[in-house]
Amino acid sequence: MDGAGLALATGHPPRPPGATSPAAALAAAPVATWPLATVNDDGRRADVAAALGTGGARVATLLGRIAGGATAPAGVDIAGLAAATPVGPVTEALALVGVAEAVEATAAVDRAWLDAVERSRAAPRRGLEAAGRGIELEAALHLAMLLATGPVDDSVAGVARVASGARLWLLGGAIAWALTGDAADPFACWADLVSYGLWPVGPVGGRLLVAVDGVQATQAGVA
C-alpha cells in the first residue's frame, strides 16, 4: 500500500485475498510510490526495510533516494566513491562528463574489466536464493526497476536509453549486494552514486568517468 494506506493496484483500502508474505506482496506491486508498506490480516504494517529482511534497511535507503530524485549532497566525495569500483580500487583521476560523452566513451571501456564487474554484479544471487531469499531479491529488484524507470525525452532518446540501461544494470547489482547485508559489499560505493542519479562508467583513457545530467551537470559545469 502507499503512504496513505491505500492498495497500490486499486487506490482503495487493502482487502483479501492477499499475498503469502510481505516480500511477495512487494514483488507483485503493479506500480510503486514512495513510501510504501505492506499490511497483514491483523492490521500490522511492515515497511520495505522490514519486508525485505537482512539488508532491507540499506535497500530502502537506496530506493528512497531514487524515488525522491536525490542528488549528491554537498561534500560527498564523488571521486572517492567512484574510485572504489565493484572490482577494486582504481587510480585514474575523476572526470565528470555529460551523458552523451559518457555513452560515446563506453565503447572504450576495457572489456575484461567490464566482465569482472558483471561477475561481481551477479555473485550475490546464488547465495540469496540458496538461503531461501529469492522472493526478497525479486521484490527488491522489482521495486528498484519501478522506481528508477521514468519517461525518456524523445529528443535524446538514444542517449538517454543507453544511460538509463547502464544505470539499471548497475542498480541491479547494487540492490542484490545490499540485500546480503555484507559489510564488505563491493558495490556499496557505486550504489551510492547511482542512487544519487549519477552514472559511474569506469576507467577510460586514463580518466575515471562519472556521467552527470540535469541539475548536477549544471552545478558541476558539465555541458
Side-chain angles (χ1 to χ4, degrees):
M1 62 185 180
D2 61 21
L6 302 178
L8 295 172
T10 66
H12 299 295
R15 59 184 180 183
T20 55
S21 70
L26 294 177
V31 295
T33 60
W34 196 264
L36 68 158
T38 63
V39 59
N40 67 10
D41 291 340
D42 63 9
R44 286 181 297 157
R45 296 189 182 194
D47 62 14
V48 168
L52 295 179
T54 300
R58 170 65 170 162
V59 172
T61 294
L62 297 174
L63 295 180
R65 289 175 186 166
I66 292 166
T71 58
V76 166
D77 182 9
I78 294 177
L81 292 173
T85 83
V87 291
V90 299
T91 59
E92 285 85 347
L94 174 71
L96 298 178
V97 300
V99 172
E101 182 178 345
V103 169
E104 184 175 352
T106 56
V109 178
D110 181 74
R111 185 70 247 177
W113 184 85
L114 271 182
D115 288 345
V117 173
E118 168 58 21
R119 288 192 295 273
S120 177
R121 175 185 175 277
R125 176 177 289 273
R126 182 173 297 179
L128 288 167
E129 291 177 343
R133 301 190 64 206
I135 189 61
E136 285 87 354
L137 176 60
E138 181 183 346
L141 293 175
H142 179 64
L143 291 180
M145 297 306 108
L146 288 177
L147 292 169
T149 305
V152 175
D153 183 345
D154 287 340
S155 66
V156 290
V159 167
R161 287 199 179 100
V162 171
S164 177
R167 288 187 65 240
L168 288 174
W169 182 74
L170 291 173
L171 182 59
I175 291 295
W177 269 107
L179 202 60
T180 69
D182 191 338
D185 174 359
F187 261 83
C189 291
W190 276 27
D192 281 334
L193 293 175
V194 172
S195 72
Y196 290 135
L198 303 172
W199 169 24
V201 177
V204 180
R207 301 186 298 166
L208 178 56
L209 300 190
V210 173
V212 295
D213 58 14
V215 172
Q216 298 188 91
T218 301
Q219 291 173 341
V222 174

